[in-house]
């Protein structure tokens, strides 16, 4: 039984920082590329970032480059998303996703949902002005 659990969301003022966490159980964590997606009210789910099994190959959506950092600790079965200089448009529910493979999948594959087989329930990030 695979479990994917996000945490770390909350209310933060614009310009602030926060770290999201995703813990995974029920599979070999270091055998999978991991990703973050988000969905804002009245909008479609969109790709945020992903990282290969080793942590050597991260990809980011253009909208978050320079402000978001994805990382992982395979010894802890944990994925992280460090968010700096938060903007109000970052307000969304953030989802952790587990890919079918651990290899470098490329930016195109990283940005589409079929690449990922397991999803968490999400953690809400709200950025106030």
């Amino acid at each position: 039984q695979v479990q994917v659990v996000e945490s770390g969301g909350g209310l933060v003022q614009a310009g602030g920082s926060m770290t999201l966490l995703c813990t995974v159980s029920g599979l070999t964590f270091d055998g999978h590329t991991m990703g973050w997606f988000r969905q804002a009210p009245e909008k479609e789910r969109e790709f945020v970032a992903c990282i290969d099994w080793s942590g050597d190959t991260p990809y980011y959506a253009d909208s978050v480059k320079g402000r978001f950092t994805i990382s992982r600790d395979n010894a802890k079965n944990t994925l992280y998303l460090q968010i700096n200089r938060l903007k109000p448009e970052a307000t969304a529910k953030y989802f952790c996703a587990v890919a079918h493979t651990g290899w470098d999948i490329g930016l195109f594959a990283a940005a589409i949902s079929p690449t990922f087989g397991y999803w968490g329930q999400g953690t809400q990030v709200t950025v106030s002005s």
Side-chain angles (χ1 to χ4, degrees):
Q1 182 174 313
V2 176
Q3 291 187 301
V4 182
V5 182
E6 303 95 335
S7 61
L11 176 64
V12 183
Q13 291 189 83
S17 300
M18 69 192 315
T19 300
L20 306 184
L21 293 82
C22 171
T23 58
V24 181
S25 62
L27 51 71
T28 303
F29 182 72
D30 63 2
H32 297 266
T33 288
M34 299 293 300
W36 287 101
F37 290 73
R38 67 185 179 186
Q39 187 168 20
E42 308 299 325
K43 295 184 178 180
E44 298 296 316
R45 183 173 59 192
E46 65 175 348
F47 169 74
V48 175
C50 74
I51 191 165
D52 77 313
W53 73 272
S54 69
D56 291 337
T57 310
Y59 292 105
Y60 297 94
D62 287 341
S63 61
V64 306
K65 285 181 179 178
R67 297 183 297 108
F68 287 33
T69 302
I70 189 170
S71 62
R72 65 192 298 163
D73 186 339
N74 288 338
K76 297 180 178 179
N77 284 13
T78 301
L79 178 74
Y80 304 91
L81 186 67
Q82 175 67 41
I83 309 175
N84 298 319
R85 295 182 286 116
L86 277 159
K87 299 178 179 180
E89 52 263 42
T91 295
K93 182 171 284 187
Y94 285 72
F95 297 90
C96 177
V98 183
H100 298 291
T101 179
W103 300 106
D104 174 17
I105 58 177
L107 179 58
F108 180 80
I112 59 175
S113 296
T115 297
F116 299 86
Y118 299 98
W119 298 78
Q121 293 298 112
T123 185
Q124 179 68 37
V125 173
T126 302
V127 183
S128 62
S129 301

